[in-house]
Structure formats: structure tokens, C-alpha cells
Amino acid sequence: MEKQNENAQFNDIETHPFEPYLPEGAKVLIMGTFPPQPKRWSMDFYYPNRTNDFWYMMGLIFYGDRTALLKEGSKDFDLVKIKCLLDDKGIALNDTGYKVRRLMNNASDKFLEIIEPVALDRLLARIPECRAIATTGEKAADVIAQLTSTTPPKMGEMVMGPDDMMIWRMPSTSRAFPMKLEVKADYYRRLFKAVGI
């Protein structure tokens, strides 16, 4: 009985916990699927899990140092540094799932059911200079393809969407995705170069 109750709580519908991060003049909107459970967060912001490569990759790309976005002498992410980087480069963040249900007690996209996707048109209306959407992984790419009536691109490639919007599919930054940090960084460097960052 206890096990049944435990599973029931994981099947509850969750609403996205973070507001979209939309710097003025944003050129690219990077979209994952949905944050992990709060017990895995090290901060209240996108890619909060210390074992996710996203912020280490961004440090490597823009500062040549995977630890550049950590607090001095700490393993914690520095949210002030992170937001300064996003604002300076014009990088917006949000996820493709607005309401989801976890089918298992984990953060795997494979066991994540999208109940309600992001309101993409409303989101893009708030960042009119944005010319590119980049998804971090296969499930996010599939959601954006459905929302834009496009075909999901192959990893590292791009298709053109409505209103000349570039839609890129990037490698997942999850450590579960078997690719070295430096290789992931190379994919994202190409994206940033293409959008003028």
C-alpha cells in the first residue's frame, strides 16, 4: 500500500517551476524538456542539477574554463554570473513542457509525459529579436517540431520554421547522454556562431 501511494505522488501533474528567462534583445531561445525534481536542485534556475553539463559547458565555451560559472572555491553554481552571461550574450531559457507527469521517480525524458506544452507563440512574442530556437535533446526537439509543424532536425543541425525561425537540435547536456563535455561544447559553439553570439 505504501509503495502504491509513493508511485501515485510521482504521477501527479507538475507545473513548470521557473519563469522564462528572457533577456532584452535575446537572439536564441534554448529549450530543454523540464527540470528535475527539486531534491536534485542546487539553485532555483534552469539546469539546476550539479551533474548536468550545461553550465560547465557554457563556462568552457565563453570563458575557456568549465568551472567559470561556479562560486569561488565552491561546487555551487553562481546565479549572478550565470544571469550576467545570459544577459550579455542574449541567451533566453525556457523548457518545452509547461505541465508534465513523471511516469517514474526520475528526471529521464523517456519517462516524462508532456501534459501541456509551452505556449511557444506567446513566449516568442516577448523576445521579438530572437531568430533561433535550440533544443537540448530529442524529446524537446520533438515537442518543438509538433508546435511548429516542422520535422525534428538531426543532432547538431537546423531546419527553418515559421517566420524564418531557425530550429536547432543540440545534444542533451545530461550526463546520461554519452558524449564528452568538450564535444558537446563544439556543437553549441556552432549554434552560437550561427546566431551571431
Side-chain angles (χ1 to χ4, degrees), residues 28-32 47 54 57 61 133-141 153-158 167-174 177 179 183-194:
V28 61
L29 171 61
I30 297 180
M31 305 190 81
Y47 306 99
F54 191 84
M57 179 188 73
I61 291 169
I133 298 168
T135 58
T136 60
E138 185 176 5
K139 190 173 196 96
K154 293 179 181 174
M155 191 173 68
E157 295 185 6
M158 175 268 291
I167 301 172
W168 292 78
R169 177 180 162 199
M170 308 310 293
S172 169
T173 56
S174 166
F177 185 70
M179 181 184 282
V183 179
K184 290 180 186 181
D186 285 341
Y187 275 98
Y188 282 79
R189 277 191 191 97
R190 290 198 289 275
L191 160 71
F192 293 136
K193 184 175 181 184

Side-chain angles (χ1 to χ4, degrees), residues 13 15 20 41 59 62 86 94 137 144 155 174 177 181 191-192 195:
I13 294 175
T15 300
W41 298 359
F62 291 108
L86 298 174
N94 199 210
I144 293 301
M155 191 173 68
S174 166
F177 185 70
L181 178 67
L191 160 71
F192 293 136
V195 298

Side-chain angles (χ1 to χ4, degrees), residues 1 33 41 48 57 75 78 80 84 87-88 99 107 122-123 146 155 161 186 193:
M1 185 67 171
T33 309
W41 298 359
M57 179 188 73
K75 292 183 179 179
D78 189 324
V80 172
C84 283
D87 292 350
D88 181 54
K99 289 183 184 288
R122 285 206 305 264
L123 188 64
Q146 289 171 10
M155 191 173 68
D186 285 341
K193 184 175 181 184

Side-chain angles (χ1 to χ4, degrees), residues 111-123:
F111 300 111
L112 199 65
E113 178 187 2
I114 306 283
I115 303 296
E116 183 183 330
V118 66
L120 186 62
D121 289 344
R122 285 206 305 264
L123 188 64

Side-chain angles (χ1 to χ4, degrees), residues 11-149:
N11 287 325
D12 289 347
I13 294 175
E14 296 178 46
T15 300
H16 202 289
F18 308 138
E19 285 295 313
Y21 193 78
L22 307 174
E24 191 174 337
K27 298 173 185 166
V28 61
L29 171 61
I30 297 180
M31 305 190 81
T33 309
F34 200 80
Q37 297 133 305
K39 66 183 179 183
R40 301 192 183 280
W41 298 359
S42 62
M43 61 177 175
D44 293 346
F45 197 65
Y46 292 88
Y47 306 99
N49 191 336
R50 281 192 194 90
T51 62
N52 189 291
D53 279 334
F54 191 84
W55 298 117
Y56 303 107
M57 179 188 73
M58 296 291 273
L60 191 61
I61 291 169
F62 291 108
Y63 302 103
D65 177 3
R66 69 184 305 279
T67 65
L69 295 172
L70 296 179
K71 291 178 181 172
E72 196 74 33
S74 170
K75 292 183 179 179
D76 292 333
F77 295 120
D78 189 324
L79 194 48
V80 172
K81 286 182 188 174
I82 284 170
K83 288 183 175 180
C84 283
L85 172 65
L86 298 174
D87 292 350
D88 181 54
K89 301 299 181 183
I91 299 170
L93 299 176
N94 199 210
D95 286 318
T96 55
Y98 178 63
K99 289 183 184 288
V100 305
R101 181 183 287 120
R102 295 184 203 276
L103 304 179
M104 299 288 284
N105 181 24
N106 62 34
S108 171
D109 280 0
K110 185 177 176 181
F111 300 111
L112 199 65
E113 178 187 2
I114 306 283
I115 303 296
E116 183 183 330
V118 66
L120 186 62
D121 289 344
R122 285 206 305 264
L123 188 64
L124 292 172
R126 295 171 61 188
I127 43 174
E129 294 174 47
C130 181
R131 300 281 21 112
I133 298 168
T135 58
T136 60
E138 185 176 5
K139 190 173 196 96
D142 289 343
V143 174
I144 293 301
Q146 289 171 10
L147 293 175
T148 57
S149 301

